[in-house]
Amino acid sequence: MRTIQFREALREAMSEEMRRDPKVFLMGEEVAEYNGAYKVSQGMLDEFGPERVIDTPIAELGFAGIGVGAAMNGLRPIIEFMTFNFSLVAIDQIINSAAKIMSMSGGQYSAPMVFRGPTGNAGMLSSQHSQNFENWFANTPGLKVVVPSNPYDAKGLLKSAIRDNDPVIFMESELMYGDKGEVPEEEYLIPIGVADIKRPGKDVTIVSFGKMVKLVLQAAEELAKDGVDAEVIDLRSVRPIDYKAIIESVKKTNRLVVVEEAWPLASISSEIAFHVQHNAFDYLDAPVKRVTARDVPLPYAPTLIEASLPNVQRVIQAVKDVTYAKA
């Protein structure tokens, strides 16, 4: 094992897959000459050349569509959005083409490709550059949606995403690119759709994904000082969702808190809350609690960002609400 940054784990995943399979290529804004907006693709142009690491104009609809066509014709594109806020420009290609071509062609075509880039708040970028669309994409049959929380998961999941025969939405975070973690030197894959227990516990289950997992783990350590033993489940992907792992944990702890960065309406957390209450109601000793962003466009001011997004204290309070509740 060695310690590397989140961005380095992503770079290793892409580079290893490009060495393994000549059909894999990377395309997006600033991915080549500039080494990536967040230096994720640093050095890849030198190794693979301009035919496989391709700079594009600021035209998400165009290069996403090129990627879909390339995937339908046997290649495996990695399409990088500088931020998933910009993916809205390409939504028709993602939702109406990549996600549906397998079904609409009766299996004659597929779109084995990855759309990747940062999602959510990145600090003082205001409303148009700080949004979470995980639930939008997860609502679309034909897509898989992966949201890793650390370098180890990021590398193993991205390699699996590149090899997957379905289109995969792979969502990262600007605030995580510099995060460090242990990653093996030997090759490994992490299957999409399998959650991971980041912290075992017996008193309450906390489910989260992406950069919120780090925040949840901090809250769990604080709760332990008060004698509350929280089990932390990292979904790792939100389509498919590992419902089995959540249910098994709730059967043990009898309480559930779900934490996500997105807005509350029609969210991943609301889907999980429904599923658990529908399929494990008899095991619950308290109502399911959710911690989400406030239902407002994200402000610019740091104090208002803090007030709008989930934080450690809000998670702790939600856990206390359910652990102090009586069956």
Side-chain angles (χ1 to χ4, degrees):
M1 302 285 281
R2 68 269 152 76
T3 299
I4 63 175
Q5 291 184 337
F6 195 100
R7 61 168 57 88
E8 294 173 303
L10 296 172
R11 184 186 311 140
E12 285 189 358
M14 292 190 292
S15 297
E16 287 177 11
E17 292 305 302
M18 290 174 70
R19 295 181 196 118
R20 185 188 66 85
D21 185 351
K23 297 188 297 294
V24 179
F25 69 93
L26 173 65
M27 180 166 57
E29 296 155 351
E30 299 184 346
V31 300
E33 295 289 345
Y34 191 66
N35 290 307
Y38 304 99
K39 302 302 180 248
V40 173
S41 54
Q42 188 163 14
M44 292 180 65
L45 175 63
D46 293 337
E47 178 174 357
F48 300 105
E51 291 187 352
R52 297 185 68 195
V53 182
I54 304 168
D55 275 332
T56 68
I58 303 174
E60 288 80 7
L61 176 64
F63 65 76
I66 291 170
V68 174
M72 290 173 60
N73 283 278
L75 300 180
R76 289 185 174 268
I78 305 167
I79 303 299
E80 178 178 315
F81 296 120
M82 193 178 296
T83 161
F84 263 97
N85 295 277
F86 302 161
S87 73
L88 299 187
V89 182
I91 204 74
D92 182 65
Q93 294 293 353
I94 300 170
I95 301 298
N96 281 330
S97 296
K100 295 183 173 64
I101 193 61
M102 172 72 81
S103 175
M104 293 181 67
S105 69
Q108 296 179 82
Y109 289 99
S110 61
M113 60 190 305
V114 176
F115 298 96
R116 53 157 293 269
T119 183
N121 167 57
M124 298 180 67
L125 292 181
S126 196
S127 303
Q128 294 180 337
H129 292 70
S130 305
Q131 301 171 98
N132 292 81
F133 297 121
E134 296 91 326
N135 56 325
W136 288 33
F137 293 115
N139 191 247
T140 304
L143 297 177
K144 294 176 180 175
V145 183
V146 177
V147 195
S149 69
N150 60 81
Y152 174 84
D153 288 354
K155 181 177 179 179
L157 287 166
L158 183 52
K159 287 172 67 70
S160 293
I162 294 169
R163 298 186 190 191
D164 202 289
N165 289 324
D166 292 317
V168 179
I169 306 295
F170 197 93
M171 309 183 90
E172 306 147 13
S173 168
E174 287 107 314
L175 298 181
M176 292 172 57
Y177 285 130
D179 286 0
K180 294 182 178 180
E182 290 189 337
V183 175
E185 292 189 5
E186 64 270 23
E187 184 180 43
Y188 67 98
L189 299 172
I190 297 175
I192 295 172
V194 179
D196 186 43
I197 298 176
K198 290 291 191 279
R199 184 187 190 280
K202 59 181 176 59
D203 294 329
V204 60
T205 299
I206 312 178
V207 174
S208 192
F209 56 91
K211 69 172 175 279
M212 291 290 102
V213 172
K214 184 163 62 173
L215 178 150
V216 167
L217 288 169
Q218 293 172 8
E221 292 304 311
E222 291 300 313
L223 286 161
K225 298 174 183 178
D226 291 333
V228 178
D229 188 16
E231 179 151 293
V232 176
I233 295 181
D234 180 355
L235 291 178
R236 301 201 287 200
S237 68
V238 296
R239 186 178 183 106
I241 293 175
D242 190 351
Y243 292 112
K244 181 180 178 181
I246 300 169
I247 295 295
E248 289 302 312
S249 181
V250 169
K251 286 181 178 180
K252 178 176 64 174
T253 67
N254 309 117
R255 293 169 174 84
L256 175 64
V257 172
V258 190
V259 182
E260 67 172 322
E261 190 180 355
W263 298 304
L265 183 64
S267 62
I268 301 299
S269 60
S270 58
E271 161 63 18
I272 292 172
F274 164 78
H275 191 91
V276 169
Q277 291 183 138
H278 183 71
N279 293 286
F281 181 80
D282 290 342
Y283 292 94
L284 289 171
D285 288 343
V288 175
K289 293 283 289 187
R290 297 190 297 151
V291 181
T292 70
R294 308 294 186 187
D295 200 13
V296 297
L298 194 70
Y300 177 82
T303 51
L304 295 179
I305 293 174
E306 174 69 15
S308 298
L309 294 178
N311 57 44
V312 170
Q313 287 307 312
R314 286 181 63 194
V315 175
I316 290 173
Q317 186 57 56
V319 169
K320 289 183 176 180
D321 289 344
V322 299
T323 54
Y324 295 164
K326 300 298 182 182

